[in-house]
Amino acid sequence: QVQLVESGGGLVQPGGSLRLSCAATESRLSINVAGWIRQSPGKEHEPVAFMVSDGSTTYADSVKGRFTMSRDNSKNTVYLQMNDLKPEDTAVYYCNASLVDGSNGWAANAWGQGTPVTVSS
């Protein structure tokens, strides 16, 4: 597997915003489909958002209307914009994506290292 690099997590007050990034490190690799999954201690993992290659995105009910997933193909990066954050959004957020090697058509699935988000006053 190829690792994706995540960034953007941190500590934010309730009602605040964060933008998470998930980037493929090699320029020849393109993100095909991608999703964000979060994990909180003592709770089961929760898929947050899933985007297919044409940009169509499905969101979990718990984040619908507050979170927005996007992508920048020129940067081989997907984003998760998180607005109106709530304490229950506190979790480690993981990016998962399928990657395609533009030079030969090779494909693989990859995971980001996880970035923690803490929502607290």
Side-chain angles (χ1 to χ4, degrees):
Q1 291 187 339
V2 178
Q3 289 279 57
L4 296 161
V5 178
E6 299 182 38
S7 62
L11 174 65
V12 66
Q13 292 183 310
S17 298
L18 287 173
R19 188 179 74 160
L20 307 184
S21 298
C22 176
T25 59
E26 299 180 51
S27 61
R28 75 178 191 279
L29 299 176
S30 299
I31 296 175
N32 189 2
V33 298
W36 291 92
I37 303 94
R38 65 187 182 186
Q39 178 71 60
S40 299
K43 297 182 179 180
E44 59 188 275
H45 68 276
E46 177 187 18
V48 172
F50 177 75
M51 177 183 286
V52 296
S53 59
D54 69 355
S56 298
T57 306
T58 300
Y59 299 94
D61 288 341
S62 59
V63 307
K64 197 172 299 180
R66 299 187 297 117
F67 290 12
T68 303
M69 190 173 177
S70 62
R71 66 194 300 154
D72 185 340
N73 293 136
S74 68
K75 298 180 179 179
N76 296 333
T77 302
V78 296
Y79 305 93
L80 184 67
Q81 177 68 46
M82 306 184 294
N83 297 326
D84 191 25
L85 284 162
K86 305 176 184 298
E88 51 263 42
D89 295 319
T90 296
V92 177
Y93 285 72
Y94 296 90
C95 175
N96 178 227
S98 63
L99 304 174
V100 178
D101 188 329
S103 66
N104 58 18
W106 166 86
N109 185 69
W111 287 85
Q113 81 281 8
T115 185
V117 171
T118 301
V119 184
S120 176
S121 59

